[in-house]
Amino acid sequence: GALAAYALASHWLMLNAAAESWAVAALCGPLLLLVLGIAWKRRDALSIAGSLLLLVVLTLVAAHGGTKDANRLYVLQHAGIHLALAWIFGSTLRAGGTPFITALAERVHRSVTPAMRAYTRRLTAVWTAYFVAMALLSGALYAAAPWSWWSLFGNVLTPLSLLLMFGGEHWLRYRLHPEFERASIVQAVQAYRRSPAGR
């Protein structure tokens, strides 16, 4: 429900208020608040401080007139979502932490073998790198290519690449590790909803 409301609000904002000074805060603020909330639950002082700093920067940008450019707002939203996801996944790779996908596997499977732990740690790192790469590509295309290229990337290639990542990983996992217990996408989604990031 919250994601649907955010998507609808973003669509309305892009069409009706992209030039308003508060638009960038309305678009990116919820992403930062999500990251801040997860960091707070994890008691991650560094991430809390970083999130608060970014909220201050966002407030200053809004106070000084925003972006005045609907296209820039699209790019900020696209890159912001991917950077938030990169943080959610990547911050669990710190020493002593449980990698994000390992935590999901622990909720889905009856037992998690050492091989599964190693695989899910690597997979968490791969997803983190994917999200960072998408954010960097988004910014690079906006800065150096025609808007039509960014639009193709943001609206068509981004969801296709996500499907390819899911499908390719699913195919590769059972080719490399046929011994792994099988799990459906529904089970994975339910596990995510029970995780701290999904609440």
Side-chain angles (χ1 to χ4, degrees):
L3 287 174
Y6 176 72
L8 289 172
S10 297
H11 177 68
W12 180 90
L13 187 149
M14 295 292 185
L15 293 178
N16 300 290
E20 298 294 332
S21 61
W22 49 266
V24 66
L27 194 66
C28 298
L31 297 174
L32 274 175
L33 290 174
L34 170 68
V35 169
L36 180 59
I38 294 170
W40 186 266
K41 283 183 182 179
R42 293 179 181 171
R43 300 295 186 261
D44 183 345
L46 184 61
S47 296
I48 291 169
S51 298
L52 291 173
L53 178 62
L54 287 172
L55 281 172
V56 170
V57 170
L58 195 60
T59 303
L60 292 173
V61 169
H64 287 85
T67 66
K68 305 295 186 188
D69 180 357
N71 292 350
R72 192 173 297 164
L73 281 182
Y74 279 115
V75 176
L76 284 172
Q77 182 188 44
H78 183 273
I81 288 170
H82 284 88
L83 289 174
L85 288 168
W87 176 84
I88 289 169
F89 279 64
S91 63
T92 64
L93 291 168
R94 293 175 184 162
T98 302
F100 188 85
I101 297 175
T102 306
L104 293 183
E106 288 172 347
R107 290 175 169 84
V108 170
H109 299 287
R110 289 173 299 224
S111 65
V112 178
T113 65
M116 289 173 76
R117 288 188 186 282
Y119 178 83
T120 53
R121 171 173 278 281
R122 288 194 302 271
L123 187 57
T124 301
V126 167
W127 275 106
T128 301
Y130 166 80
F131 293 132
V132 170
M134 293 300 282
L136 292 174
L137 273 171
S138 187
L141 282 172
Y142 177 72
W147 177 249
S148 59
W149 290 23
W150 187 93
S151 182
L152 176 66
F153 171 75
N155 296 309
V156 178
L157 298 181
T158 294
L160 282 178
S161 71
L162 192 62
L163 290 173
L164 282 172
M165 282 285 290
F166 272 114
E169 186 280 320
H170 183 81
W171 178 84
L172 190 62
R173 181 190 334 153
Y174 294 120
R175 297 304 177 280
L176 294 176
H177 295 284
E179 77 279 9
F180 285 0
E181 179 186 7
R182 304 257 171 166
S184 70
I185 291 176
V186 172
Q187 288 174 301
V189 170
Q190 289 171 342
Y192 172 76
R193 292 180 65 186
R194 293 194 300 270
S195 74
R199 291 192 204 111

